[in-house]
Amino acid sequence: MICLRYILERIQAWKVMVIFLKVKIKDIAKMADVSIATVSRVVNNSKPVNEEVRKRVLEAMKQMNYRPNVIGSDAGRSDTPLIGVIIPQNSNTVLDDFNIGIRDLAELYGYDVLVGLTDGSVNSELHYLNLFHHMGTEGYIYVGSVPSKEHLEIIQKSGSPCVLVGEQSQIDSIPSVHLDNVTASYEAVTYLIQKGHRSIGMIRVSGDNAVGGDRYRGYQQALMDAGISLREEWVVESGMAVEDGSDAMRRIKDSGELPTAVFCSTDWMAVGAMNFLIDNGIRVPEDVAVFGFDNSFIASVVRPKLSSVEYSGTEIGMTATRTLIKLIKGETGIQHHANVAHYLAIRESTG
């Protein structure tokens, strides 16, 4: 995984505002070495403040990316229109590329970007939706699962449009952008079949979302169309980390017989699977071929280099931002779901 420091450096270079936790007035007061009352006066422009002190408070606000969150007032609004992005904090290069695409298009059209890095929980996502609503964002890009009833209530209350990234939206008012995970997985498994493999396992993400459900459905369909029976003991649900993939590969081995190929829902899982195989004297790809998904940077630096499904996260981010800006401007006839192109990046792990 890319370390958090690297992500922060990239974001700082983009001039994108990132919100981890809500900065409070007391934090500004401490940095500026003034009282909370003084910060309040500067924020609300309610009473005269010494100019030197005012500059100190404003500089502290700038350094901490503080924007006042005052319900019912314009104090939280920016002269530059804002787009709010809600995205999981456990970033990898694919999500990093999403942000690059969002930044590039937003900057082109004169928008600032607020990024809320969540812990993946509903409460965390709702927190940022509420926060962005009070800060006057003109629209949201939501990276994650399909919005729940609670998400929709906040979005509808705000009156601002929203675009979903990472899933195909089933909500008429919310368009979505991603890739066709079913077809991409189908093509990857079909490639393995064409290479002569008839016993193919899968290390899959649990759940019925795009990464978990859709990629598994593509695997299932490819086997079915080739007349190959799916062996349940060769399909293991796993977390997405390298160590999860390693543990999942161990469970497949412990089933009593190894498949000759394994398709994985993500590159990180695939790297874990390869690590386990190699550590146990099983050759990749001679004994077991391994295919990943996302074409993360790790795919080309591990040995053997990992075959993977490739697509452009930057294009997804740009397409989502373009769609959102059209919605903000009131344009009609917008495509409800857009898929970006995908490719098979064939490397050493499949022979």
Side-chain angles (χ1 to χ4, degrees):
M1 303 286 272
I2 295 180
C3 69
L4 188 56
R5 178 179 294 178
Y6 171 78
I7 298 168
L8 289 171
E9 289 173 351
R10 290 290 302 274
I11 292 170
Q12 187 176 28
W14 302 338
K15 297 181 180 178
V16 174
M17 288 161 285
V18 183
I19 299 174
F20 292 97
L21 297 172
K22 185 177 175 182
V23 177
K24 297 181 179 180
I25 285 181
K26 67 179 181 180
D27 302 318
I28 303 300
K30 183 177 181 179
M31 175 174 281
D33 194 23
V34 298
S35 68
I36 293 174
T38 299
V39 176
S40 179
R41 289 170 189 163
V42 173
V43 169
N44 298 306
N45 198 28
S46 56
K47 292 182 180 181
V49 176
N50 177 278
E51 189 59 27
E52 188 275 332
V53 172
R54 180 186 299 276
K55 287 181 180 179
R56 208 159 70 232
V57 171
L58 292 174
E59 179 60 25
M61 291 169 62
K62 180 180 179 182
Q63 288 185 31
M64 299 187 75
N65 285 331
Y66 175 80
R67 287 174 180 259
N69 181 21
V70 184
I71 300 174
S73 79
D74 291 332
R77 295 183 181 272
S78 167
D79 292 336
T80 305
L82 302 174
I83 290 173
V85 179
I86 298 172
I87 191 168
Q89 186 170 327
N90 57 334
S91 186
N92 55 37
T93 53
V94 175
L95 297 182
D96 202 29
D97 288 346
F98 288 175
N99 278 323
I100 292 173
I102 292 167
R103 182 279 317 266
D104 286 349
L105 254 293
E107 187 177 86
L108 180 64
Y109 285 95
Y111 287 81
D112 275 342
V113 180
L114 296 172
V115 181
L117 298 179
T118 78
D119 59 10
S121 69
V122 171
N123 286 339
S124 178
E125 293 167 350
L126 294 178
H127 165 73
Y128 287 116
L129 277 175
N130 268 312
L131 180 60
F132 291 166
H133 166 46
H134 294 317
M135 295 181 74
T137 53
E138 298 198 10
Y140 311 98
I141 294 175
Y142 173 70
V143 183
S145 57
V146 176
S148 67
K149 180 181 178 182
E150 290 81 6
H151 292 88
L152 292 176
E153 286 176 352
I154 299 174
I155 293 169
Q156 290 168 356
K157 179 182 177 181
S158 73
S160 299
C162 178
V163 175
L164 175 65
V165 171
E167 293 281 345
Q168 184 163 343
S169 174
Q170 305 301 318
I171 303 164
D172 291 342
S173 59
I174 299 180
S176 55
V177 179
H178 204 43
L179 74 150
D180 187 339
N181 283 281
V182 175
T183 300
S185 299
Y186 181 95
E187 292 173 357
V189 177
T190 297
Y191 172 81
L192 292 172
I193 294 169
Q194 292 171 346
K195 291 284 289 184
H197 295 283
R198 303 292 293 180
S199 55
I200 304 172
M202 182 175 183
I203 299 175
R204 57 164 295 196
V205 173
S206 60
D208 197 37
N209 56 15
V211 177
D214 286 351
R215 294 180 187 182
Y216 175 61
R217 279 185 279 274
Y219 162 80
Q220 281 182 307
Q221 192 63 49
L223 294 184
M224 185 182 300
D225 288 353
I228 299 173
S229 297
L230 187 154
R231 291 179 55 168
E232 296 292 343
E233 68 270 24
W234 285 346
V235 178
V236 176
E237 293 188 2
S238 165
M240 291 189 283
V242 171
E243 56 268 26
D244 295 323
S246 180
D247 181 65
M249 194 67 243
R250 176 190 58 76
R251 283 184 278 162
I252 291 176
K253 181 178 182 295
D254 288 348
S255 69
E257 182 183 0
L258 274 175
T260 63
V262 176
F263 172 61
C264 302
S265 290
T266 73
D267 290 340
W268 301 97
M269 301 160 84
V271 169
M274 289 200 301
N275 286 348
F276 175 84
L277 292 168
I278 293 169
D279 288 346
N280 285 272
I282 301 166
R283 298 171 302 168
V284 179
E286 292 86 353
D287 299 323
V288 179
V290 179
F291 209 115
F293 203 113
D294 291 332
N295 201 32
S296 306
F297 82 95
I298 197 172
S300 60
V301 299
V302 295
R303 293 294 182 272
K305 294 182 179 180
L306 178 66
S307 293
S308 183
V309 175
E310 176 183 4
Y311 58 95
S312 173
T314 302
E315 184 182 353
I316 289 176
M318 294 177 72
T319 303
T321 307
R322 188 180 295 111
T323 300
L324 181 62
I325 292 173
K326 287 181 178 179
L327 289 171
I328 291 171
K329 295 181 179 297
E331 295 187 24
T332 58
I334 294 172
Q335 186 177 356
H336 185 254
H337 180 75
N339 280 321
V340 302
H342 63 266
Y343 313 91
L344 299 186
I346 304 301
R347 299 190 180 94
E348 298 163 356
S349 69
T350 52

